[in-house]
Structure formats: C-alpha cells, structure tokens
Amino acid sequence: TIGILIAQLFGLRKVLANEKGWPLLLALTGIPAVVELIFLPFFPESPRHTLIQKGDEEGAKAALRRLRGWDDVDAEIEEMHLEDQSEKAEGRLSVMNLCSFKALRWQLITVIVLNMGQQLSGVNAIYYYA
C-alpha cells in the first residue's frame, strides 16, 4: 500500500533511519492519530447506529441531514426501520448455522483457505517488519 511505500522511503538510512533522524521517524507515526483526534468530534455519529442501537430517531435524522445536505431524509429513516425489522425477523446466524448453510459453504471455505495461505506463507511477518 501507499503507507508501506512512504514508510520504506522515510526508513532509508539517508532520509530518517539514522542516529539523528530516528526520533522523528518514530514521532511521524503519531501524526495520523493526532489528526484523527482533532477532526473526529466534527463528524456526526452513524445515523443507523443512532437510530437502531440508541433509539434516537431525531438524532438519526439530524445526522442524515448533515451527511446528505438535504432535509428530506424520511425515506432513509423508514428504510433503516425496515432493515432493522427484517434483521430481527431473520435472527442471529451462529457459527454452526453458517457452516451448515449450503449456499455459503464455498465462500466460507475460500475465505478460510485464503487466510490460512496468508498466515502460512509468512507475508504478515514481512509486512510487520517492513
């Protein structure tokens, strides 16, 4: 990814990976966290979380108005209510149900095989130490 490329470039001995530059190189990792802490209070909460988990319909409408930029958000609120009702009607999907559900079996096997391949190939260790 682009983050790994930038880290590799800053980690060159002639750039910051030397005796004088390593504290700055270490401090650079905190910049994204500080930027997020500064800007996070200005973002609205998730309208779906506000409506379904907290039960605050007016708060969800306000968040949707802020995100969309228009006042007519009643259709989206109604859609969220319908989605919540359908999820409650279906119930929870347990791990045993997931394994026994024939339509999802090949997707589940594919995900498991890909993750096992990633773990056993050692590519995570390469990313970690890159």
Side-chain angles (χ1 to χ4, degrees):
T1 63
I2 193 75
I4 293 173
L5 175 66
I6 291 171
Q8 288 289 339
L9 292 175
F10 281 144
L12 294 174
R13 292 218 184 271
K14 292 184 180 181
V15 182
L16 288 176
N18 51 41
E19 196 171 315
K20 292 180 182 177
W22 76 264
L24 180 60
L25 183 63
L26 187 62
L28 285 176
T29 61
I31 291 175
V34 170
V35 169
E36 186 175 331
L37 282 174
I38 291 170
F39 287 110
L40 195 60
F42 300 106
F43 293 121
E45 261 197 67
S46 164
R48 188 177 191 283
H49 173 76
T50 304
L51 179 67
I52 295 173
Q53 300 296 325
K54 292 185 174 180
D56 182 12
E57 187 167 333
E58 289 305 315
K61 284 183 180 181
L64 268 175
R65 285 186 196 111
R66 187 171 172 198
L67 285 171
R68 302 289 184 247
W70 59 77
D71 290 334
D72 187 22
V73 294
D74 292 331
E76 284 188 73
I77 293 292
E78 183 61 32
E79 185 180 330
M80 286 182 204
H81 277 300
L82 290 173
E83 186 180 336
D84 183 39
Q85 289 172 357
S86 68
E87 283 180 5
K88 286 179 182 175
E90 287 179 7
R92 296 269 182 218
L93 185 63
S94 69
V95 175
M96 290 304 291
N97 288 343
L98 181 66
C99 293
S100 64
F101 193 49
K102 197 167 194 154
L104 295 176
R105 190 170 294 151
W106 280 109
Q107 290 90 341
L108 183 64
I109 290 171
T110 303
V111 168
I112 290 171
V113 168
L114 286 173
N115 281 321
M116 285 175 53
Q118 185 178 17
Q119 291 295 323
L120 295 174
S121 70
V123 74
N124 286 342
I126 293 170
Y127 278 139
Y128 181 74
Y129 290 109

